[in-house]
Amino acid sequence: GQNIDQPTEMTATEGAIVQINCTYQTSGFNGLFWYQQHAGEAPTFLSYNVLDGLEEKGRFSSFLSRSKGYSYLLLKELQMKDSASYLCAVRDSNYQLIWGAGTKLIIKP
Amino acid sequence: ETGVTQTPRHLVMGMTNKKSLKCEQHLGHNAMYWYKQSAKKPLELMFVYNFKEQTENNSVPSRFSPECPNSSHLFLHLHTLQPEDSALYLCASTTGTSGPDTQYFGPGTRLTVL
């Protein structure tokens, strides 16, 4: 079966750096997405990786290793507003999105 | 402002009621989706419409009935629901083309079935 694994919850301190990991086993691979979802709000797109390596966007970076079935989202200079759930999703060979259950990130002052 | 709106934002209904959820996208997209989001579970894809044609039905019970009258509007008709259907129902849209084809989500309808 197809599966996306990410930690259920993580806690970090304001101003610090946090890395959220995502591992996947899917039927084929056509890209990996990270979304941010604040409580009670819509998921919003953060990043897309289709080739191996690091994609940087301001304070957020996303890394992909297709051979290892692994990605991480790196958040730097954490702010209180970064408290949210972070969803990892992989598009499989049928162009279907397979979603992880999300990682709830708690930022403490 | 995500460009995808959903109404109502909250809905409480009994198991014998009939209600409808509405989604509208203002992005000129061609594909629309219904997802179910339950606590601590992955998003579950329910239905996909491409150019108003249903292209995906992920074994969803018949008590959920989708309708897509045009590329901008999507409805989810609900009847005889069960308490386990309580969840956040998210609508999304995409261009339906190749490349990232990023999903744009609406804010969701929080549904409670009593």
Side-chain angles (χ1 to χ4, degrees):
Chain A
Q2 308 204 85
N3 194 50
I4 308 279
D5 285 315
Q6 50 181 134
T8 303
E9 187 173 298
M10 298 181 70
T11 302
T13 305
E14 190 177 15
I17 299 172
V18 71
Q19 177 175 313
I20 302 175
N21 295 325
C22 170
T23 57
Y24 62 89
Q25 298 97 35
T26 56
S27 302
F29 178 86
N30 280 296
L32 184 144
F33 298 80
W34 284 96
Y35 282 80
Q36 179 190 61
Q37 185 177 24
H38 286 100
E41 297 184 12
T44 55
F45 170 75
L46 284 179
S47 68
Y48 170 72
N49 294 71
V50 66
L51 299 176
D52 290 351
L54 189 68
E55 294 280 342
E56 295 186 78
K57 242 189 220 183
R59 294 188 299 114
F60 292 8
S61 304
S62 57
F63 172 83
L64 173 67
S65 169
R66 288 172 295 170
S67 62
K68 294 182 180 178
Y70 167 70
S71 172
Y72 67 73
L73 181 69
L74 191 71
L75 292 75
K76 301 177 185 175
E77 301 168 18
L78 286 170
Q79 302 174 9
M80 297 303 292
K81 67 178 182 179
D82 297 329
S83 293
S85 288
Y86 292 85
L87 311 180
C88 175
V90 172
R91 182 177 286 146
D92 68 11
S93 57
N94 293 320
Y95 276 77
Q96 297 298 314
L97 273 181
I98 312 302
W99 293 85
T103 298
K104 183 178 180 181
L105 178 63
I106 299 168
I107 310 296
K108 295 187 173 178
Chain B
E1 182 63 50
T2 64
V4 181
T5 58
Q6 289 187 243
T7 55
R9 292 294 309 275
H10 300 272
L11 178 62
V12 179
M13 59 188 288
M15 289 191 285
T16 57
N17 292 158
K18 288 185 181 181
K19 297 285 183 185
S20 294
L21 309 185
K22 179 183 176 182
C23 174
E24 184 173 359
Q25 58 95 1
H26 313 273
L27 300 168
H29 287 170
N30 300 313
M32 297 187 77
Y33 307 73
W34 278 118
Y35 284 95
K36 176 183 179 182
Q37 187 176 38
S38 302
K40 299 184 180 179
K41 289 186 177 180
L43 284 173
E44 298 175 46
L45 180 64
M46 301 174 72
F47 302 104
V48 181
Y49 279 82
N50 258 302
F51 294 94
K52 302 188 298 177
E53 298 296 320
Q54 189 179 125
T55 57
E56 192 82 27
N57 176 340
N58 274 355
S59 303
V60 180
S62 59
R63 58 185 183 269
F64 295 91
S65 174
E67 179 190 359
C68 188
N70 55 60
S71 294
S72 299
H73 293 86
L74 186 64
F75 295 89
L76 188 62
H77 304 299
L78 317 171
H79 64 97
T80 326
L81 293 192
Q82 304 298 311
E84 60 264 28
D85 296 323
S86 298
L88 181 68
Y89 288 84
L90 290 164
C91 173
S93 69
T94 66
T95 58
T97 59
S98 58
D101 202 22
T102 306
Q103 304 237 331
Y104 289 80
F105 286 88
T109 295
R110 173 67 63 185
L111 174 66
T112 302
V113 181
L114 301 176

